């Protein structure tokens, strides 16, 4: 058995174990890097250590540190409270406000699971009282969250943009976010239309009285009692830090991870008493996951596995069909493993397509990105499990089947739609 086959099989085993056992994929990635790299191929320890993605580690730590501070301050709760109050009297706006809220919260750096955790209890409670499809409102939250997650301030966007930049591939953080927002917006619109959105727009329901009271009650319980209501100096500084980060990194090309660390330190010095447990709030499991799996992928590159894979993909002859194949493979693998881990490993695998002069690398990575994240609605994923745990007015088994069947439909049509929009038609920019 060749070293390339051993390395690829090991990667698949890592994904399988991570999907079925509560073991961090990053730990498996570190172990595999040393086993395959040193024992099977003969790399030295120094060569394996050099595979550690220090640059990406700093990026993710900086971003998650800064936004853990902002989230703990209650600044994001102010955004959510304002958004929720906009639906009073207009029941048809509820799903779209949830979509917009999840997009904005994820877009400004809130970790995706935190977005779903914040909005799912409110949205599903209101959906039950207002007779709105629980499946539809769940999709709206997920689609907004996934779109915002490809912001240059969120971990998905950081991973994709960093991977493209490291390999010298053409990329644009703004276009990636725009492409993903359009794609997930289309999915949200279709879901809204097919799951009763037109009907609820036409319905003047007395349930809106409940919505208004419910929002006030939820806001009091979740925000006022925790002392998070109202804009104070510290929350204002936290909100100002977000556009400052964007201006310095996108406008002036500064390293986003380093700038985020410095901005986080400034916020820490402004209010030292509010910094307790901030480090505990950071998603260290995700940081370890990305670092570990990318270390193994870089070891695979060092021993020539990725070159063989890219040659195989390039050997398909037709780059357009190759992009379609990669999109469906992305959706399939991501459905049974961590989307974060897959995004960290897919760019080296698809490099031959990304470098093909007949295709736009931005459009290709957009198709891969949305294909791999669309299936996160699954009740077997963390976000899907949160939705399942908060649903009301429907049996959990029924809602479980609805989420699972919808995920299957998304997998069947989603990558093809992404391929059609981004590769065949091509976005007009």
């Amino acid at each position: 058995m060749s070293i390339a086959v051993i390395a690829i099989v090991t990667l698949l085993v890592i994904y399988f174990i991570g999907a079925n056992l509560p073991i961090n994929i990053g730990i498996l990635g570190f172990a595999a890097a040393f086993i395959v790299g040193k024992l099977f191929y003969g790399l030295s320890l120094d060569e394996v250590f050099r595979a550690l993605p220090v640059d990406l580690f700093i990026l993710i730590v900086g971003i998650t540190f800064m936004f853990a501070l902002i989230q703990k301050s209650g600044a994001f709760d102010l955004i959510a409270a304002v958004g929720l109050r906009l639906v009073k009297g207009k029941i048809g706006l509820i799903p779209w406000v949830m979509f917009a809220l999840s997009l904005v919260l994820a877009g400004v750096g809130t970790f995706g699971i935190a977005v779903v955790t914040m909005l799912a209890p409110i949205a599903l409670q209101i959906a039950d009282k207002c007779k709105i499809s629980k499946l539809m409102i769940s999709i709206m939250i997920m689609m907004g969250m996934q779109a915002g997650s490809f912001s240059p301030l969120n971990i998905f966007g950081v991973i994709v943009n960093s991977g493209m930049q490291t390999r010298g591939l053409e990329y644009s953080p703004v276009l990636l976010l725009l492409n993903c927002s359009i794609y997930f917006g289309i999915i949200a619109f279709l879901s809204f239309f097919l799951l009763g959105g037109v009907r609820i727009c036409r319905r003047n329901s007395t349930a809106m009285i409940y919505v208004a009271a419910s929002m006030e009650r939820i806001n009091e319980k979740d925000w006022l009692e925790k002392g998070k209501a109202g804009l104070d100096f510290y929350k204002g500084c936290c909100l100002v830090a977000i556009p400052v980060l964007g201006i310095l990194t996108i406008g002036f090309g500064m390293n986003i991870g380093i700038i985020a660390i410095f901005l986080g330190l400034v916020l820490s010095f402004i209010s030292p008493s509010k910094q307790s447990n901030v480090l505990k709030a950071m998603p260290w499991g995700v940081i370890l996951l990305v670092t570990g799996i990318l270390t193994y992928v870089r070891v695979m590159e060092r021993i020539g596995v990725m070159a063989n894979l890219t040659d195989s993909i390039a050997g398909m002859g037709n780059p357009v069909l190759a992009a379609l194949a990669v999109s469906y493979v992305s959706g399939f693998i991501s459905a049974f493993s961590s989307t974060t881990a897959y995004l960290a490993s897919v760019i080296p695998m698809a490099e031959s397509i990304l470098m093909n002069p007949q295709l736009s690398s931005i459009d290709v990575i957009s198709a891969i990105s949305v294909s791999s994240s669309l299936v996160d609605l699954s009740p077997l994923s963390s976000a899907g499990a949160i939705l399942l745990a908060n649903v009301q007015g429907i049996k959990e088994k029924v809602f479980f089947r609805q989420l699972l069947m919808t995920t299957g439909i998304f997998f069947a049509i989603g990558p093809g739609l992404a391929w059609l929009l981004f590769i065949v038609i091509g976005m007009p920019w």
Side-chain angles (χ1 to χ4, degrees):
M1 186 180 296
S2 69
I3 185 64
V5 174
I6 292 173
I8 293 170
V9 170
T10 301
L11 183 63
L12 295 176
V13 170
I14 288 173
Y15 284 146
F16 179 79
I17 294 175
N20 292 279
L21 295 176
I23 299 175
N24 189 288
I25 292 179
I27 296 293
L28 297 171
F30 281 128
F34 286 100
I35 292 172
V36 174
K38 182 170 176 58
L39 298 184
F40 282 93
Y41 192 75
L43 295 178
S44 66
L45 285 178
D46 285 343
E47 289 177 305
V48 176
F49 285 138
R50 283 198 292 271
L52 283 166
V54 178
D55 50 349
L56 185 60
F57 177 79
I58 295 296
L59 276 174
I60 297 177
V61 168
I63 288 291
T64 54
F65 170 62
M66 174 180 162
F67 284 99
L69 286 167
I70 297 175
Q71 187 171 347
K72 188 174 176 60
S73 75
F76 289 151
D77 294 310
L78 294 177
I79 298 174
V82 170
L84 286 171
R85 293 176 192 275
L86 295 176
V87 304
K88 291 181 180 180
K90 298 179 180 179
I91 194 171
L93 285 180
I94 293 175
W96 288 108
V97 169
M98 292 300 168
F99 174 84
L101 271 177
S102 56
L103 191 157
V104 170
L105 290 171
V108 297
T110 311
F111 193 50
I113 297 302
V115 173
V116 178
T117 302
M118 185 187 305
L119 295 181
I122 302 170
L124 288 168
Q125 183 178 355
I126 293 173
D128 181 46
K129 297 299 181 181
C130 295
K131 308 303 179 186
I132 300 172
S133 166
K134 286 83 173 176
L135 177 61
M136 183 245 282
I137 207 125
S138 297
I139 293 172
M140 300 297 277
I141 292 173
M142 286 297 299
M143 295 305 102
M145 182 270 286
Q146 296 291 22
S149 292
F150 287 96
S151 154
L153 303 180
N154 206 303
I155 193 166
F156 281 9
V158 168
I159 291 171
V160 173
N161 292 318
S162 174
M164 298 289 281
Q165 183 182 34
T166 299
R167 295 174 183 283
L169 297 166
E170 180 186 2
Y171 77 104
S172 169
V174 174
L175 287 183
L176 175 66
L177 175 60
L178 183 59
N179 283 348
C180 292
S181 298
I182 291 173
Y183 178 86
F184 288 115
I186 291 172
I187 299 296
F189 175 79
L190 292 175
S191 301
F192 180 80
F193 180 78
L194 294 173
L195 294 173
V198 175
R199 175 177 52 81
I200 65 171
C201 284
R202 293 173 177 171
R203 176 160 51 92
N204 293 319
S205 174
T206 55
M208 284 312 303
I209 298 173
Y210 169 82
V211 173
S214 176
M215 287 176 186
E216 296 296 337
R217 185 168 62 253
I218 290 170
N219 289 342
E220 281 191 348
K221 181 179 178 181
D222 290 347
W223 294 308
L224 297 178
E225 289 183 2
K226 294 180 181 179
K228 292 183 176 179
L231 181 65
D232 55 29
F233 178 73
Y234 180 59
K235 292 191 189 78
C237 291
C238 288
L239 292 174
V240 169
I242 298 171
V244 169
L245 179 66
I247 292 169
L248 293 178
T249 56
I250 298 175
F252 293 90
M254 297 183 180
N255 184 284
I256 188 172
I258 295 174
I259 296 300
I261 289 174
F262 277 103
L263 288 173
L265 285 174
V266 171
L267 295 176
S268 299
F269 281 118
I270 291 175
S271 184
S273 62
K274 297 183 180 180
Q275 311 313 310
S276 60
N277 298 322
V278 166
L279 292 180
K280 291 182 180 179
M282 292 173 61
W284 290 108
V286 175
I287 295 170
L288 181 61
L289 181 154
V290 174
T291 306
I293 201 67
L294 197 54
T295 297
Y296 179 60
V297 168
R298 289 187 175 184
V299 166
M300 292 175 67
E301 286 186 271
R302 198 172 293 270
I303 63 181
V305 176
M306 293 308 183
N308 290 337
L309 277 176
T310 55
D311 288 343
S312 299
I313 294 173
M316 292 184 66
N318 189 324
V320 175
L321 293 181
L324 176 63
V326 171
S327 296
Y328 270 101
V329 168
S330 297
F332 179 79
I333 294 179
S334 183
F336 298 98
S337 65
S338 165
T339 302
T340 310
Y342 182 73
L343 286 173
S345 62
V346 69
I347 294 177
M349 298 180 189
E351 188 170 1
S352 63
I353 300 177
L354 292 166
M355 294 181 66
N356 194 299
Q358 299 179 43
L359 302 175
S360 163
S361 61
I362 298 172
D363 286 345
V364 173
I365 197 59
S366 297
I368 292 173
S369 296
V370 298
S371 297
S372 61
S373 56
L374 181 64
V375 293
D376 286 352
L377 180 71
S378 167
L380 304 177
S381 70
S382 300
I386 292 170
L387 293 169
L388 186 63
N390 285 281
V391 73
Q392 299 181 28
I394 185 174
K395 292 183 178 179
E396 287 189 2
K397 288 184 179 180
V398 175
F399 194 57
F400 178 91
R401 287 197 296 269
Q402 288 182 358
L403 290 176
L404 201 60
M405 290 177 62
T406 304
T407 303
I409 294 171
F410 281 174
F411 169 71
I413 67 174
L417 176 61
W419 173 77
L420 179 64
L421 288 176
F422 298 119
I423 308 300
V424 177
I425 298 176
M427 286 302 189
W429 36 73

